[in-house]
Amino acid sequence: METLYLGIVFLIIIGVLAFGRPLYQAILGGLAATVLLFRIPPVEIARRTSMVITGWSSLSVLLSLYMITFLQRILESRSQIKLAQKDLNGIFHNRRVNLVGACLFIGLLPSAASMILCSEIVKDSTEGYLKPQEQAFAASWFRHIPESSLPTYTSVLLMLNLAGVEISRFLAGMIFPVVTLAVLGYMRCLRKIPSDPGTPKSQSRLKDMISLFGHLWSLLLILTLILVFDFPVVTSVLASIILSVLVYRVGRKELRGMFFSAFEKRMIGNTFLVLVLKEFIAYTGVLELLPEVMKTLPLPAYLVFGLLFFVATMISGTTGAIAMGTPLAFAAIPGGVPLMVYLMCMVHGASQVSPTHVCLAVASDYFHVTLGDLVKKTLPMTLAFCVLMTLYYQVLSAFW
């Protein structure tokens, strides 16, 4: 019965979005249905809601979202992103390569707030060529490709640990899925934009590369602090903001304006509601019931676990699905690298259409489209990716 209730909750969210209503209304409808169907007591409602503010894992998402927006305001005031795009045009002289390269680079940042910077670059590169829904898809799809395989993300590290697979072998197995993601994204929208950026070719690529470093040093600093020195995201962004204020000589009056303008009410509000929904679903405990439900399906074991990871990610996000399902999957199937690659691909595919994925809320807000519009653009590519990865698992199992 609990799984039926959960299905009703998600149908309500999807239904509200299908009618073109804002994301916050869909999430509020889902929250109300969760409270009524699962009979969550008022005390627990208050406790779970407050956990988003008091719990660091959720609070850090909101803080990093605000701080990245603040950094974006500083970079905008000095035209650093636009100048970086000019440098990329000089280096590659290809609008499509610039877009993909910038999204993949920003995708190295393990933070939902990086969607803001990625969206800005996509908008500048595709304005007049892609519709807002397509721009939102491009920003979300290409920014998340690194998240599917890089061990800088919690989900990848967690599954590597639980599955006992070597990083080098996993990365080798993920080469084809990563290429597939890039090709699917290209087919969906990238081919609609001209490759010629409309600017003169570079007179000195080396000079443009040095200039690019000068315009993106603030982002490179964040990456270095996170990847090399293992700093938390919030601390890394704060350090970059402080140095940017000093380097660009941002005055008090400018800072005061940025302090208030960086608080994007709709973006932060929607993100807060998504995080609350995740807390409410976690309270219901319905995630633990999914394996028993999936076992009743007349399907091969690997496909049952693939569907389990897909559904669990849709409900609670990547970390919950991996923590719950990985020990079960590797106990039932002698999997190794092929199974981990397959399950990670299913997790990644589901995360691109999950209403509990914060990045999707950020992207849809930035481009002023509904989450439903973004999911409509993404779902066909996600399903195609999952089907191809199911076939890839067969090949990988036969030869690995």
Side-chain angles (χ1 to χ4, degrees):
M1 186 61 73
E2 285 83 356
T3 52
L4 176 61
Y5 288 162
L6 186 64
I8 293 172
V9 169
F10 274 82
L11 282 175
I12 290 173
I13 294 173
I14 293 168
V16 174
L17 292 173
F19 280 100
R21 304 309 302 167
L23 176 61
Y24 79 90
Q25 293 182 9
I27 299 299
L28 285 174
L31 286 170
T34 305
V35 169
L36 293 174
L37 292 172
F38 290 96
R39 299 177 183 178
I40 303 178
V43 174
E44 196 62 36
I45 293 173
R47 191 177 78 85
R48 289 280 168 172
T49 303
S50 65
M51 282 174 62
V52 176
I53 300 297
T54 58
W56 180 246
S57 61
S58 297
L59 180 60
S60 63
V61 173
L62 297 173
L63 281 175
S64 63
L65 193 63
Y66 171 78
M67 292 170 68
I68 286 286
T69 307
F70 193 99
L71 179 61
Q72 180 197 12
R73 295 290 187 268
I74 296 176
L75 298 179
E76 283 177 345
S77 71
R78 303 300 185 266
S79 301
Q80 295 302 293
I81 299 297
K82 291 185 181 296
L83 290 171
Q85 285 182 287
K86 184 178 178 181
D87 297 330
L88 285 169
N89 286 337
I91 296 169
F92 299 107
H93 203 253
N94 188 306
R95 188 189 300 266
R96 299 169 183 171
V97 174
N98 293 350
L99 186 151
V100 174
C103 288
L104 294 178
F105 169 74
I106 294 174
L108 297 175
L109 289 169
S111 167
S114 63
M115 272 304 314
I116 301 169
L117 296 172
C118 189
S119 297
E120 183 181 356
I121 291 175
V122 169
K123 186 175 182 180
D124 287 344
S125 300
T126 62
E127 196 69 23
Y129 300 104
L130 297 181
K131 297 177 182 178
Q133 296 91 334
E134 295 171 321
Q135 290 176 322
F137 164 80
S140 176
W141 187 266
F142 287 107
R143 175 257 179 264
H144 284 106
I145 289 178
E147 193 170 331
S148 67
S149 54
L150 291 185
T152 53
Y153 284 91
T154 304
S155 57
V156 177
L157 285 173
L158 181 60
M159 190 180 285
L160 283 168
N161 181 267
L162 293 174
V165 173
E166 294 179 8
I167 293 178
S168 58
R169 289 165 60 82
F170 168 71
L171 290 176
M174 286 299 295
I175 292 174
F176 178 74
V178 166
V179 172
T180 302
L181 287 169
V183 171
L184 289 173
Y186 173 85
M187 292 174 60
R188 185 61 169 169
C189 64
L190 215 59
R191 59 181 177 174
K192 293 183 179 181
I193 65 175
S195 59
D196 188 345
T199 57
K201 291 186 177 181
S202 173
Q203 299 300 314
S204 172
R205 282 191 167 88
L206 178 60
K207 184 178 178 181
D208 286 331
M209 290 182 69
I210 295 172
S211 179
L212 179 66
F213 178 83
H215 294 135
L216 293 181
W217 68 265
S218 57
L219 302 184
L220 290 169
L221 174 62
I222 297 173
L223 281 173
T224 302
L225 292 175
I226 292 172
L227 302 181
V228 178
F229 297 100
D230 201 26
F231 275 39
V233 173
V234 172
T235 306
S236 303
V237 178
L238 180 60
S240 184
I241 288 174
I242 293 172
L243 282 177
S244 295
V245 169
L246 296 174
V247 170
Y248 298 123
R249 299 180 181 179
V250 184
R252 291 183 180 179
K253 188 175 181 180
E254 281 185 291
L255 283 175
R256 193 179 301 114
M258 294 172 183
F259 179 83
F260 290 106
S261 68
F263 189 83
E264 296 277 359
K265 294 180 181 178
R266 188 172 71 169
M267 188 180 296
I268 293 177
N270 283 342
T271 303
F272 174 79
L273 290 175
V274 169
L275 292 171
V276 172
L277 178 62
K278 290 179 71 172
E279 289 293 340
F280 279 24
I281 291 174
Y283 167 79
T284 65
V286 71
L287 203 62
E288 287 76 16
L289 302 176
L290 286 178
E292 293 301 320
V293 175
M294 292 294 180
K295 284 181 181 178
T296 62
L297 298 176
L299 297 170
Y302 76 89
L303 194 54
V304 169
F305 280 106
L307 292 173
L308 171 64
F309 273 66
F310 190 94
V311 174
T313 301
M314 286 281 292
I315 296 169
S316 69
T318 58
T319 304
I322 290 170
M324 175 203 69
T326 304
L328 296 174
F330 279 80
I333 305 171
V337 174
L339 183 60
M340 179 175 173
V341 168
Y342 175 59
L343 295 179
M344 185 57 70
C345 289
M346 296 299 284
V347 164
H348 180 77
S351 70
Q352 301 314 297
V353 291
S354 171
T356 61
H357 189 174
V358 173
C359 290
L360 304 190
V362 175
S364 59
D365 281 342
Y366 185 93
F367 290 102
H368 304 293
V369 299
T370 67
L371 182 60
D373 290 332
L374 176 55
V375 170
K376 285 178 187 177
K377 287 291 180 184
T378 309
L379 186 59
M381 295 298 101
T382 287
L383 294 178
F385 176 68
C386 290
V387 170
L388 289 172
M389 292 307 101
T390 301
L391 298 175
Y392 178 58
Y393 170 75
Q394 305 292 334
V395 176
L396 213 57
S397 298
F399 295 98
W400 198 296

